[in-house]
Amino acid sequence: ACPCGSGKKYKFCCRERDREVLRPTDGSSLEGFESVQRLIDRGCALLDQRRYEQAIGVFEEVVRRAPHHARGYTNLALARFHQGQTVRALEHARHVVAKLEPENVFALGSIVHYAMILGFEDEARAAAEALKKIRAPDPGAHFKQVEAFARLRWHDEILRTASRVHEAPDGVREDLYFYLGVAAASVGRYGEAL
């Protein structure tokens, strides 16, 4: 599955977006781009296979070769998290927001998750506040937002985000309905919880 959380295979989801981000714009060879793309594909396959230690090595190489590419860091953070390296995972997610993409939904959502685990509730809330201001570009990003709000029990925000999700051209992920039902029931909107 794609690390963005969409539930789709990486090659049918974020691969083309990643290719556009990595594609050289200065007329240089595509060879470097293709090798980084192959590494990302391999790292994502390792994540799918739950071979996290090997995925860490692959994504470390991605960030070495393409230090401007947020996806390498967010995937490296995910692999480190699954290896019990939550502090390092949080550092990678922070790097993305501070240096590369301040509105990266996956990095901000990961900050909420990792910071809550580590007891940094103020940092988690600040990241979630930043997430509230972002219009997620796809169902995977919508899911990451809702998941982050659920970690903080921000039920009203989950329902507000859901109203934007229903308007999205890509539609709603099926697994999002669980969060929507719990949020609706938690604020007494039982008719919406069904």
Side-chain angles (χ1 to χ4, degrees):
C2 185
C4 80
S6 69
K8 298 178 187 175
K9 283 194 169 281
Y10 175 70
K11 65 183 176 182
F12 297 120
C13 189
C14 290
R15 182 177 179 177
E16 287 307 310
R17 182 186 68 191
D18 286 349
R19 284 178 179 223
E20 288 306 311
V21 170
L22 289 171
R23 191 172 306 282
T25 57
D26 60 0
S28 61
S29 166
L30 288 176
E31 183 179 318
F33 154 75
E34 291 295 335
S35 68
V36 170
Q37 185 59 52
R38 281 192 299 275
L39 281 173
I40 290 172
D41 291 347
R42 192 164 105 224
C44 289
L46 290 167
L47 285 174
D48 283 347
Q49 297 165 13
R50 298 181 179 176
R51 295 167 56 194
Y52 303 118
E53 190 170 325
Q54 292 155 312
I56 288 170
V58 171
F59 288 119
E60 284 176 337
E61 182 65 15
V62 169
V63 300
R64 188 186 69 70
R65 290 188 192 184
H68 62 282
H69 187 48
R71 193 66 182 275
Y73 289 97
T74 56
N75 285 329
L76 179 56
L78 179 62
R80 287 199 184 280
F81 172 73
H82 283 291
Q83 282 296 104
Q85 301 172 17
T86 309
V87 172
R88 302 241 359 238
L90 180 58
E91 290 169 0
H92 294 309
R94 286 173 176 160
H95 176 79
V96 170
V97 172
K99 306 278 186 192
L100 302 174
E101 295 178 20
E103 294 189 348
N104 185 296
V105 172
F106 301 100
L108 287 165
S110 294
I111 289 172
V112 171
H113 185 190
Y114 307 149
M116 288 295 291
I117 288 170
L118 294 168
F120 305 144
E121 291 185 28
D122 290 342
E123 182 176 6
R125 281 197 249 324
E129 286 293 338
L131 274 173
K132 283 171 51 174
K133 299 172 186 168
I134 299 170
R135 191 156 186 88
D138 56 58
H142 289 132
F143 187 84
K144 192 67 170 180
Q145 281 179 311
V146 167
E147 181 182 61
F149 299 146
R151 292 184 194 288
L152 294 166
R153 297 187 178 112
W154 288 7
H155 304 299
D156 288 323
E157 195 56 45
I158 291 169
L159 296 172
R160 271 193 287 283
T161 301
S163 68
R164 292 193 308 257
V165 171
H166 284 290
E167 299 165 5
D170 292 338
V172 179
R173 284 183 42 176
E174 282 292 316
D175 48 1
L176 190 61
Y177 287 112
F178 168 77
Y179 287 110
L180 302 179
V182 170
S186 296
V187 296
R189 292 163 58 176
Y190 302 110
E192 295 175 47
L194 301 177

